[in-house]
Amino acid sequence: MEAWLLSERILTASQAELARREGTRLGLSFSEIVQRLGLVTSEELSQFRSIRGQLKTATDFIQEGQLEGQQLSLRRLSLDDCLRNKLPAELCEKLVAIPVSERGGSLWIACANPFDLPTLKRLETAAKQPIEVLPASETDIRLAINRNYTARDELYDAVGAFIQMDAAALNEQSQDDPPMIRLAEQILMHAATREASDVHLHPEERFFRVRLRADGVLEEGLLLPRAIQSALTARFKILAGMDTAEDRLPQDGRIHFAIGSEEIDVRVSSLPSSNGESIVMRLLDQSRLKLELPTLGFSQKQQSEFSDILDQPHGVFLITGPTGSGKTTTLYTLLSMIDAEERSVFTLEDPIEYRLPLIRQTQIKDEIGLSFANGLRTLLRQDPDVILVGETRDQVTAELMIRAALTGHLVFSTLHTNDAISAIPRLTDLGIPPYLLSSSLLGLSAQRLARRLCPVCKSKHTISAKEWAALGGSPEDSDITIYEPVGCEACGQKGYSGRISLAEIIRMDAGLQQRIDSKESISNLKRYLKKQGVVLMRQDGLMKAKEGLTSIEEVGRVVQLDPEDCAAND
């Protein structure tokens, strides 16, 4: 196992030596110690087991026959009644296994430990037919079991326990009562199972609503009795280490929620409102964070552009977009592609969302004077090669970034603008001279997140070349085939499953540098980019709709149509 982890660059030589030493001291096997130290995820462990036993992983098995980018995961798999009845929920929970498919008379089962013979024998006896095993991570299996066997029932049972109470009993409920503890756990488990990014505890005049944001869309939610609002709010504040007695001021906290062998980090924010405290929880699930450009939805050309930027010795690269557009995940992915053993990598973040190996990450704390600007000043004395500044908020930070780039550092940051080229006037407004911008910028990127079409149920649809041109697409001679959402069990009847990046990447060249130095308008800069053949965000979205990765409606929802595109196609 050690040789494979080293060859795949999952572990460094120094990490492997540490694991061997600690494993000997604690009497643990190499696979046990690397997991305990957090050096290897359960997903990576399942990949090793599949290679060792010459088995397909559950992920590979599920994704067979799908096009690149149309990835259905074990977590999102929905089983029909026939498959669910093959193995009882209690046995699946106990043995950490779940049926995936029935083919050729055999039952294919995702299993956390595919080499445990007693476990395999019990599964085969329970299934009453031959079985084939597929290695999978414990976290993925437990979330799949929860999704297919218990999630909805257990959450509704927890809610039902309160609905059946009379008014007096509801008013007596406290944050420490077992029904309240169970309800809080089930809300978090349901959110993790649905792969929600946020949970909203939304106080209303007559009800208390629990809402999830899944695939970027906020759902209507589940109604709870108003009488348990204070107790449930207090329960989550206790879990997050917040002051339950303080309900007049905003607070922040964190919850560490364990699923299987891994933890989901939950960032909690409270805000007083007219109907009581509003609680919003952001789920940061490192086990489902795939730091790979193809998985995020970037095209081959875009991947090449990013790789070229990472090869540069110095300069500034900015990613723009609104909150929740995936900028941070893209930056983490770029940092993970850097050899942190050969280059010194530092980050300044607010907040730190995910921990990255071999990278020194610093949490910004404005209340004690640790701002982006002050942190960046200090970082420049820490011998960095690569610096990530979580957000460019003010003139001082922008000036320090430019100075860092001009003195031989590779700097990444984010900016809130509608498109990539709008970063130019935004930075000049912050006081950066155009000649410094043009000489220090490596490039600009902008992105949005659109929902992926469900690969199981999407349907073909044809539009005319004229309709395509009206949407902003390039001129075509014949009808265009696109795809539409339908809805099935696999996607929860929504027609979408997961999200994909729609992006534009602009590289600096002599022509663009000259136009920035001359302070040309944004419209002139955009015309130049189009003449150079740069694929902008709208066009990238339409290309992905044409490939069946997303729908025209989704592209229109997240990216505005440029009036100049319509005029050009008339």
Side-chain angles (χ1 to χ4, degrees):
M1 180 182 187
E2 181 181 344
W4 179 79
L5 291 172
L6 290 169
S7 67
E8 293 295 314
R9 301 183 69 181
I10 295 169
L11 285 188
T12 65
S14 58
Q15 289 172 329
E17 183 182 350
L18 170 66
R20 284 195 304 273
R21 188 170 64 244
E22 287 299 294
T24 301
R25 186 175 70 84
L26 298 173
L28 297 173
S29 68
F30 191 80
S31 63
E32 289 172 326
I33 193 63
V34 291
Q35 275 194 293
R36 180 174 292 192
L37 292 173
L39 299 174
V40 175
T41 66
S42 55
E43 179 68 29
E44 289 163 342
L45 192 59
S46 71
Q47 289 175 3
F48 168 72
R49 286 169 172 163
S50 73
I51 293 170
R52 173 187 164 194
Q54 296 183 331
L55 303 169
K56 289 180 184 176
T57 64
T59 300
D60 291 338
F61 182 86
I62 292 166
Q63 292 177 3
E64 278 182 346
Q66 296 181 55
L67 297 176
E68 184 180 357
Q70 297 179 337
Q71 296 172 347
L72 198 64
S73 66
L74 177 60
R75 296 178 180 206
R76 290 178 176 259
L77 193 65
S78 292
L79 305 180
D80 57 30
D81 290 338
C82 181
L83 270 176
R84 264 195 300 267
N85 293 334
K86 292 287 183 180
L87 295 174
E90 298 78 14
L91 187 68
C92 290
E93 286 276 5
K94 186 173 183 178
L95 302 181
V96 195
I98 187 170
V100 171
S101 179
E102 190 173 14
R103 298 183 189 176
S106 295
L107 184 64
W108 291 76
I109 299 175
C111 185
N113 191 351
F115 305 118
D116 184 359
L117 294 180
T119 294
L120 301 185
K121 187 65 177 175
R122 289 186 65 182
L123 289 170
E124 193 164 47
T125 302
K128 299 177 182 177
Q129 67 183 105
I131 66 168
E132 298 284 349
V133 291
L134 303 161
S137 75
E138 181 184 352
T139 303
D140 284 354
I141 292 172
R142 290 199 183 280
L143 287 173
I145 292 170
N146 198 59
R147 179 188 182 98
N148 287 282
Y149 286 96
T150 58
R152 185 172 290 271
D153 292 341
E154 290 196 6
L155 177 61
Y156 284 169
D157 286 348
V159 172
F162 292 101
I163 293 175
Q164 293 169 12
M165 294 180 185
D166 57 30
L170 284 172
N171 290 325
E172 291 175 359
Q173 292 296 307
S174 77
Q175 63 267 24
D176 297 320
D177 289 336
M180 197 64 65
I181 294 172
R182 184 185 175 214
L183 177 59
E185 288 176 349
Q186 287 305 315
I187 288 172
L188 289 175
M189 190 67 180
H190 185 65
T193 303
R194 290 286 315 281
E195 296 190 7
S197 60
D198 301 88
V199 180
H200 290 240
L201 303 185
H202 184 169
E204 299 180 5
E205 187 174 350
R206 298 175 58 193
F207 298 101
F208 190 46
R209 192 184 297 269
V210 178
R211 309 177 73 187
L212 302 183
R213 185 181 295 279
D215 293 337
V217 177
L218 195 59
E219 299 176 353
E220 184 178 349
L222 184 68
L223 293 179
L224 301 174
R226 176 69 191 268
I228 70 168
Q229 174 181 324
S230 296
L232 185 58
T233 299
R235 182 68 211 161
F236 281 111
K237 290 174 76 173
I238 288 171
L239 292 172
M242 297 156 68
D243 183 358
T244 57
E246 179 58 79
D247 58 6
R248 299 165 301 165
L249 295 173
Q251 294 187 65
D252 293 302
R254 292 186 100 92
I255 298 172
H256 299 288
F257 182 63
I259 299 178
S261 60
E262 295 176 2
E263 278 192 345
I264 293 177
D265 196 17
V266 184
R267 198 171 75 228
V268 185
S269 169
S270 72
L271 178 70
S273 72
S274 59
N275 292 315
E277 280 187 285
S278 169
I279 301 285
V280 176
M281 296 179 280
R282 168 67 56 88
L283 276 70
L284 305 171
D285 184 0
Q286 189 128 13
S287 67
R288 70 182 172 98
L289 180 69
K290 305 299 182 187
L291 297 180
E292 299 169 349
L293 292 175
T295 303
L296 298 180
F298 291 102
S299 66
Q300 286 285 349
K301 184 179 179 182
Q302 290 168 340
Q303 293 172 46
S304 298
E305 295 276 12
F306 280 132
S307 295
D308 187 45
I309 288 162
L310 291 173
D311 288 338
Q312 303 304 310
H314 55 81
V316 175
F317 182 74
L318 295 173
I319 299 183
T320 72
T323 301
S325 61
K327 302 186 299 295
T328 302
T329 303
T330 300
L331 285 173
Y332 279 147
T333 304
L334 295 179
L335 290 187
S336 72
M337 295 167 64
I338 294 172
D339 188 344
E341 284 200 313
E342 294 184 358
R343 301 169 85 178
S344 175
V345 184
F346 289 83
T347 75
L348 295 170
E349 302 175 62
D350 185 22
I352 297 173
E353 295 195 0
Y354 298 100
R355 308 288 174 177
L356 299 173
L358 294 181
I359 291 175
R360 282 164 279 189
Q361 297 172 262
T362 299
Q363 168 72 55
I364 293 302
K365 295 180 181 177
D366 286 317
E367 64 273 15
I368 62 171
L370 181 52
S371 63
F372 280 112
N374 290 336
L376 188 50
R377 282 194 188 95
T378 304
L379 274 193
L380 293 175
R381 298 192 290 271
Q382 290 276 312
D383 188 28
D385 294 309
V386 182
I387 301 171
L388 165 62
V389 180
E391 185 180 340
T392 306
R393 293 178 178 173
D394 52 46
Q395 179 178 352
V396 177
T397 305
E399 288 175 346
L400 287 169
M401 282 169 39
I402 298 297
R403 185 194 306 171
L406 294 174
T407 54
H409 303 90
L410 183 59
V411 183
F412 296 93
S413 189
T414 69
L415 202 61
H416 290 288
T417 60
N418 288 329
D419 54 21
I421 201 63
S422 296
I424 301 298
R426 178 80 179 95
L427 289 169
T428 55
D429 288 345
L430 287 175
I432 307 300
Y435 71 90
L436 280 182
L437 267 183
S438 62
S439 59
S440 59
L441 274 179
L442 290 173
L444 303 163
S445 176
Q447 68 180 62
R448 300 289 189 277
L449 292 177
R451 289 181 292 174
R452 289 179 187 264
L453 282 168
C454 173
V456 176
C457 64
K458 65 180 180 180
S459 67
K460 286 185 179 182
H461 176 64
T462 302
I463 61 173
S464 67
K466 186 175 181 181
E467 290 173 310
W468 178 254
L471 292 168
S474 55
E476 299 282 351
D477 297 327
S478 59
D479 291 348
I480 309 298
T481 299
I482 57 174
Y483 295 80
E484 293 182 331
V486 177
C488 64
E489 280 195 12
C491 60
Q493 306 301 328
K494 296 185 180 299
Y496 296 97
S497 180
R499 290 193 285 177
I500 188 171
S501 294
L502 310 184
E504 59 190 30
I505 301 174
I506 299 170
R507 294 298 309 278
M508 296 299 293
D509 60 21
L512 188 56
Q513 283 182 331
Q514 181 184 350
R515 284 164 174 77
I516 292 172
D517 289 344
S518 303
K519 302 181 182 179
E520 291 196 17
S521 66
I522 286 291
S523 56
N524 283 346
L525 294 178
K526 283 186 177 180
R527 289 190 195 101
Y528 172 76
L529 294 174
K530 289 174 183 176
K531 285 180 182 177
Q532 297 302 111
V534 175
V535 177
L536 299 181
M537 227 180 333
R538 178 83 180 189
Q539 284 66 47
D540 185 51
L542 291 174
M543 287 163 59
K544 285 166 181 170
K546 205 172 175 183
E547 294 169 15
L549 299 177
T550 189
S551 67
I552 291 293
E553 291 77 15
E554 272 297 288
V555 175
R557 183 178 71 87
V558 300
V559 186
Q560 288 183 338
L561 175 62
D562 190 336
E564 289 191 14
D565 288 334
C566 293
N569 291 326
D570 283 344

